[in-house]
């Protein structure tokens, strides 16, 4: 943000958009244009002295992008999006380096592939080139949640099979969640899932007045399960070391502790 602020203050074209704003509006402006810069880099936008003018870019946007990157380069800095952009550029512009990494990484696994964005997918293509085909992707298009970063399931479902002649293998049984959990999840936020769970399972929803009441219920439930000794979906005796209490945030556990 400091570098972007410097760009606004030092450039006559951009200065007028910045100086007459209050502190809050200035921060909002910086956030907005950092997102613009980040989006451009996620689309592998390179503008230098060898690049023709971008006809669809305003002079302000072009000035902002080139000035920001110029300061980064002068200070020998990179931002987060540069990590992919510059790595992709190295592989594309230096075939010898790309070939070195292809020999080094003979097999490539991409997890959560439904959340690949343009830069990530094209980095993989640059890494593999036209000869490397040992690329394996794992993902679930119904779990794509990073659209705000440019992620799109089309890279896994459309581009990958076309570019790599990849075979498709679908798993229709869910080994992670029980059928009851899947049913609850579908009711809360339907995603069209039809996966059959590996086991039926038990799931209950309870609401409580406060965290203390919630903690008391959890403790009573644990004691109830311990008293059962056995259950058809649990191997061996029910013991504390076979139990877990999960929560979204750590502070939720405080009353339980």
């Amino acid at each position: 943000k400091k570098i972007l602020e410097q760009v606004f203050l030092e450039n006559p074209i951009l200065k007028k958009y910045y100086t007459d704003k209050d502190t809050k509006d200035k921060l909002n402006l910086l956030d907005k244009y950092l997102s613009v810069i980040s989006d451009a880099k996620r689309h592998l936008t390179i503008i230098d002295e060898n690049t023709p003018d971008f006809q669809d870019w305003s002079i302000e946007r072009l000035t902002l992008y080139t000035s920001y990157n110029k300061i980064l380069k002068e200070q020998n800095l990179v931002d987060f999006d540069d990590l992919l952009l510059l790595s992709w550029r190295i592989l594309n512009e230096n075939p010898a380096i790309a070939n070195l990494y292809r020999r080094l990484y003979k097999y490539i696994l991409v997890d959560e592939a439904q959340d690949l964005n343009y830069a990530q997918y094209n980095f993989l293509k640059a890494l593999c080139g036209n000869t490397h085909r040992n690329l394996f992707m794992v993902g679930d298009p119904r779990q794509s949640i990073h659209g705000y970063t440019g992620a799109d399931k089309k890279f896994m479902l459309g581009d990958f099979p076309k570019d790599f002649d990849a075979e498709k293998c679908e798993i229709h049984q869910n080994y992670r969640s029980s059928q009851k959990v899947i049913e609850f999840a579908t009711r809360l936020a339907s995603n069209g899932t039809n996966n059959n769970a590996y086991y039926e399972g038990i799931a209950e929803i309870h609401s409580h007045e406060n965290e203390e009441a919630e903690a008391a219920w959890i403790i009573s439930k644990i004691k109830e399960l311990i008293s059962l000794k056995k259950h058809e979906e649990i191997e061996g005796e029910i013991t504390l070391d076979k139990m877990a209490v999960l929560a979204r945030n750590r502070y939720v556990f405080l009353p339980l502790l």
Side-chain angles (χ1 to χ4, degrees):
K1 286 183 179 180
K2 281 293 182 185
I3 290 174
L4 194 57
E5 182 180 45
Q6 180 183 340
V7 171
F8 272 105
L9 292 175
E10 292 182 353
N11 195 289
I13 296 175
L14 301 172
K15 190 173 183 178
K16 61 183 178 181
Y17 296 103
Y18 189 77
T19 53
D20 60 345
K21 289 180 166 49
D22 60 27
T23 301
K24 183 179 179 180
D25 286 340
K26 285 179 179 177
L27 290 174
N28 289 337
L29 188 71
L30 294 178
D31 285 337
K32 174 184 176 180
Y33 282 100
L34 280 173
S35 294
V36 169
I37 290 169
S38 183
D39 183 66
K41 292 191 177 188
R42 285 198 298 265
H43 285 85
L44 304 176
T45 303
I46 298 172
I47 301 174
D48 55 27
E49 61 274 8
N50 300 317
T51 308
D53 291 339
F54 275 53
Q55 300 298 327
D56 58 337
W57 281 33
S58 66
I59 186 63
E60 290 85 2
R61 186 180 180 188
L62 193 61
T63 301
L64 187 88
Y65 192 67
T66 54
S67 300
Y68 170 80
N69 286 316
K70 182 173 181 289
I71 294 175
L72 284 181
K73 189 173 182 180
E74 288 171 349
Q75 298 187 24
N76 201 29
L77 299 173
V78 296
D79 62 21
F80 184 78
D81 294 294
D82 281 330
L83 298 178
L84 269 176
L85 170 61
L86 297 178
S87 297
W88 168 81
R89 190 172 182 179
I90 288 171
L91 294 174
N92 262 303
E93 297 178 2
N94 298 272
I97 294 177
N99 286 327
L100 172 66
Y101 281 101
R102 284 170 203 147
R103 291 196 299 271
L104 187 62
Y105 297 107
K106 296 180 180 178
Y107 305 96
I108 300 169
L109 169 65
V110 181
D111 196 14
E112 304 293 357
Q114 76 276 358
D115 284 322
L116 285 169
N117 62 29
Y118 181 85
Q120 292 166 336
Y121 181 70
N122 279 277
F123 169 80
L124 286 167
K125 285 181 66 177
L127 179 59
C128 293
N130 296 321
T131 56
H132 199 324
R133 286 295 176 265
N134 293 329
L135 178 62
F136 186 83
M137 289 193 182
V138 181
D140 183 349
R142 291 162 297 193
Q143 296 186 44
S144 184
I145 59 173
H146 290 283
Y148 61 93
T149 66
D152 196 320
K153 59 189 176 185
K154 73 172 186 178
F155 296 113
M156 176 184 75
L157 295 177
D159 294 45
F160 175 50
K162 179 184 66 177
D163 295 335
F164 288 85
D165 194 25
E167 294 183 29
K168 184 178 181 181
C169 177
E170 293 184 273
I171 299 175
H172 293 286
Q173 252 187 334
N174 191 316
Y175 292 86
R176 175 179 288 180
S177 303
S178 69
Q179 188 63 40
K180 292 296 183 183
V181 169
I182 293 172
E183 289 172 6
F184 273 131
T186 303
R187 282 163 53 190
L188 291 169
S190 179
N191 59 8
T193 181
N194 57 0
N195 281 26
N196 295 318
Y198 185 60
Y199 56 97
E200 182 63 21
I202 299 171
E204 305 170 2
I205 295 179
H206 297 271
S207 60
H208 302 276
E209 292 184 1
N210 51 49
E211 287 84 354
E212 286 73 21
E214 183 180 63
W217 182 86
I218 292 172
I219 292 170
S220 68
K221 188 66 179 180
I222 290 173
K223 289 180 178 178
E224 176 190 328
L225 292 170
I226 291 292
S227 68
L228 293 176
K229 299 293 186 183
K230 287 187 177 295
H231 189 278
E232 61 181 7
E233 292 189 351
I234 296 177
E235 294 182 10
E237 188 176 352
I238 299 176
T239 56
L240 287 174
D241 61 354
K242 293 181 180 178
M243 297 184 185
V245 181
L246 307 179
R248 189 65 174 176
N249 300 98
R250 186 179 298 177
Y251 73 86
V252 178
F253 286 112
L254 294 178
L256 189 61
L257 298 175

